[in-house]
Amino acid sequence: MAVYTDIAEDDLKWFLTEYDAGTLLSYKGIAEGVENSNFLLHTSKEPLILTLYEKRVEKTDLPFFLGLMQHLSARGLSCPLPLPRRDGALLGSLSGRPAALISFLEGMWLRKPEAKHCREVGRALAEMHVAGDGFELTRANALSIDGWQTLWEKSEARAGEVEPGLQDEIRGELDFLAAAWPKTLPAGVIHADLFPDNVFFLGDQLSGLIDFYFACNDLLAYDVSICLNAWCFEKDGAYNITKGTAMLEGYQSVRPLSGEEIAALPVLSRGSALRFFLTRLYDWLTTPEGAMVTKKDPLEYLRKLRFHRQVGSAAEYGLSL
């Protein structure tokens, strides 16, 4: 979540008349995240999240994102729901941007997750993968191998500003992954961005998953690798195998990984580390000064990528073989 586009109070009040949302009491921007402009609204009925979809989000993708939340919620997954307008549409317009009102999910994201929380996240991720079965809309992963190459081409010339010598290292990694990437593993709807700030807890109880705006159809085990990267490394860069074991046990308690998925996990983890390095690198180099957004350090994911290069098997992530 972030704020790139400001909104005027009068415009927001007019926007709310198209919904059965009550009257506006207060609103404020939410700075976390990097994709869309988000605001927390308090109305006379209930708190809501207002999302303005910025230029990097294709308007044609929005029915997939909003419909997916409805589909998952109907199958028992705890996640926000888009609020329909009075005319039944899920999407409106505000400040020149496509906009939606989303239900507010109770809970807080964890700054210091423990192994027990990682187990809950693994279980919730698998539940989402199972619940996503049967969702009729599809969306290709724009941030898979072809997308990585495009992002790198936009950043390569200035990559040395972040760390000298990056050009040769990343070109080599892209070549390796293009040759080694698995293509026949089980696939379905994935979240593709299940970082700690996209998972809410009430105490130690997971209360729901949020922010489905990278969701797409891709390899299910790739989503697992994203979570290993996002949840199981410490601030000093060390991989926490206790957290990794808990994450994988939680996932497999709902959806056991196949032998092929297990064997591919080191390559998938390299790929997911590279994906987040490249998007962070691009944002680091191109985010305009003054934007109400927290830029994230790309070198964190470069260090994770280098760790995965040394992994020989999924056992090193804490998976019992």
Side-chain angles (χ1 to χ4, degrees):
M1 297 180 175
V3 174
Y4 294 94
T5 301
D6 201 5
I7 53 176
E9 182 176 350
D10 287 345
D11 291 341
L12 177 56
K13 287 180 177 178
W14 174 86
F15 178 81
L16 287 178
T17 64
E18 299 179 320
Y19 296 83
D20 183 19
T23 57
L24 181 68
L25 301 179
S26 66
Y27 71 100
K28 64 178 181 179
I30 301 172
E32 294 168 331
V34 295
E35 278 299 308
N36 303 308
S37 294
N38 292 273
F39 300 84
L40 173 61
L41 276 55
H42 289 280
T43 77
S44 56
K45 284 195 170 184
E46 58 183 335
L48 295 164
I49 299 296
L50 167 67
T51 297
L52 274 60
Y53 300 100
E54 300 293 345
K55 294 179 180 179
R56 213 157 97 176
V57 176
E58 295 288 343
K59 187 175 181 179
T60 54
D61 286 334
L62 295 177
F64 177 90
F65 300 142
L66 299 174
L68 177 61
M69 286 187 272
Q70 290 183 315
H71 177 90
L72 294 174
S73 178
R75 282 152 181 78
L77 190 81
S78 179
C79 64
L81 272 173
L83 189 70
R85 295 169 14 131
R86 295 186 190 277
D87 62 6
L90 297 179
L91 197 63
S93 179
L94 180 61
S95 298
R97 298 284 188 266
L101 285 179
I102 310 294
S103 64
F104 178 79
L105 188 67
E106 292 287 348
M108 297 178 61
W109 70 271
L110 301 174
R111 269 65 176 179
K112 295 181 179 180
E114 301 174 16
K116 60 187 175 182
H117 306 120
C118 292
R119 178 174 281 103
E120 291 300 305
V121 171
R123 181 181 296 113
L125 180 68
E127 289 171 349
M128 184 205 140
H129 289 169
V130 172
D133 190 42
F135 182 53
E136 293 183 354
L137 299 181
T138 61
R139 177 178 181 265
N141 187 356
L143 290 171
S144 190
I145 291 177
D146 291 342
W148 303 340
Q149 183 65 46
T150 301
L151 273 173
W152 176 240
E153 290 169 359
K154 293 178 179 178
S155 305
E156 182 176 8
R158 295 180 57 197
E161 298 174 23
V162 176
E163 183 176 294
L166 270 180
Q167 283 88 347
D168 289 342
E169 181 177 0
I170 299 305
R171 280 194 221 105
E173 189 67 24
L174 284 166
D175 290 343
F176 167 80
L177 289 171
W181 199 250
K183 297 179 174 64
T184 59
L185 301 180
V189 177
I190 69 169
H191 186 284
D193 193 39
L194 201 60
F195 278 65
D197 57 352
N198 288 332
V199 181
F200 281 2
F201 283 82
L202 289 170
D204 290 331
Q205 184 70 37
L206 192 150
S207 60
L209 311 182
I210 69 167
D211 203 349
F212 289 83
Y213 300 114
F214 285 102
C216 57
N217 295 88
D218 207 332
L219 305 178
L220 300 179
Y222 175 63
D223 224 9
V224 176
S225 77
I226 290 172
C227 286
L228 290 175
N229 274 314
W231 290 82
C232 300
F233 284 83
E234 299 303 321
K235 288 188 176 180
D236 64 1
Y239 180 75
N240 187 322
I241 196 168
T242 303
K243 290 183 178 179
T245 299
M247 173 81 69
L248 293 164
E249 287 178 350
Y251 186 88
Q252 295 208 103
S253 70
V254 175
R255 180 189 170 268
L257 293 165
S258 70
E260 291 81 4
E261 288 176 304
I262 291 169
L265 202 54
V267 170
L268 295 171
S269 297
R270 284 174 70 165
S272 58
L274 180 66
R275 172 261 188 265
F276 286 99
F277 165 74
L278 290 172
T279 49
R280 287 185 177 197
L281 176 67
Y282 178 81
D283 289 338
W284 190 267
L285 295 173
T286 62
T287 297
E289 294 297 327
M292 188 180 168
V293 57
T294 303
K295 294 199 295 185
K296 297 178 180 178
D297 181 10
L299 292 180
E300 175 189 350
Y301 268 79
L302 183 63
R303 292 188 289 268
K304 292 176 182 181
L305 172 58
R306 290 167 176 167
F307 167 82
H308 295 303
R309 285 200 197 111
Q310 310 306 315
V311 172
S313 79
E316 296 177 55
Y317 298 124
L319 188 64
S320 299
L321 301 181

